[in-house]
Amino acid sequence: MAQDKMYPMTEEGKEKLEAELEDLKMVQRPKVIDRIKIARSYGDLSENSEYESAKDEQSMLETRVSTVERMLQYAQIIDNDGTDKDEITVGKKVTFKELPDEEPEEYTIVGAAEADPMSGKISNDSPIAKGLLGHRKGEEITFDTPGGDMSVKVLDVE
């Protein structure tokens, strides 16, 4: 049997997923069930677009419930207590600048389950994070990205 994928995440990320799962099960699911009941009351289901829409919504909701449950079941909480404070690992905030003279950028490297690039959280599976992981503050490194090679200088690791 193939090993199930682990989902690295911070404690905060796990708590967010638990809250989302609670909302999906206790708030969103009952709303969709009510929509289905109301749509059924309109009669002929073969030509009932409201019923089809509610069933589609139910399908998407149940898919998300399954996904979140799987992520929580295989969650691997990141603990950086035993790591070097200057080493880039999952769960740390990294400030770097693209060479030769770009503006500094700051990202927190998180597991895919809690990635949100618009909030400065990038997945450990992203090309930039893969290139940064294992390196240290002060290093200049070059790594592959879909847009070509990227050279950066690591300014800070928190």
Side-chain angles (χ1 to χ4, degrees), residues 15-25 64 68:
E15 289 169 5
K16 278 181 146 176
L17 282 177
E18 288 169 339
E20 179 185 354
L21 184 60
E22 178 81 10
D23 179 65
L24 290 170
K25 286 182 167 183
R64 183 63 184 161
V68 173

Side-chain angles (χ1 to χ4, degrees), residues 3 7-8 17 22-23 25 32 36 40 56-58 73 77 81 85 87 89 95-97 105 150 155 157-158:
Q3 181 177 350
Y7 294 91
L17 282 177
E22 178 81 10
D23 179 65
K25 286 182 167 183
V32 171
I36 291 170
R40 269 194 191 138
D56 288 346
E57 185 178 347
Q58 181 184 39
Q73 180 179 0
I77 302 302
D81 287 344
K85 68 179 181 73
E87 182 182 356
T89 59
T95 305
F96 63 89
K97 71 174 187 173
E105 298 179 46
M150 183 175 189
L155 303 175
V157 178
E158 302 176 32

Side-chain angles (χ1 to χ4, degrees), residues 36-56:
I36 291 170
K37 284 179 187 174
I38 292 168
R40 269 194 191 138
S41 72
Y42 295 152
D44 186 6
L45 298 182
S46 65
E47 296 179 16
N48 189 330
S49 64
E50 284 146 20
Y51 177 77
E52 289 300 319
S53 173
K55 291 298 282 182
D56 288 346

Side-chain angles (χ1 to χ4, degrees), residues 85-151:
K85 68 179 181 73
D86 289 335
E87 182 182 356
I88 301 171
T89 59
V90 177
K92 290 190 178 175
K93 187 183 296 185
V94 182
T95 305
F96 63 89
K97 71 174 187 173
E98 194 170 349
L99 300 174
D101 56 5
E102 294 289 323
E103 291 295 313
E105 298 179 46
E106 183 178 275
Y107 295 102
T108 301
I109 299 175
V110 296
E114 58 185 309
D116 181 6
M118 300 307 286
S119 297
K121 294 181 177 184
I122 59 172
S123 166
N124 62 316
D125 292 330
S126 71
I128 292 175
K130 284 181 177 179
L132 292 170
L133 288 170
H135 291 279
R136 304 172 61 74
K137 179 178 176 177
E139 288 186 24
E140 291 186 11
I141 50 180
T142 300
F143 48 88
D144 290 332
T145 69
D149 285 350
M150 183 175 189
S151 296

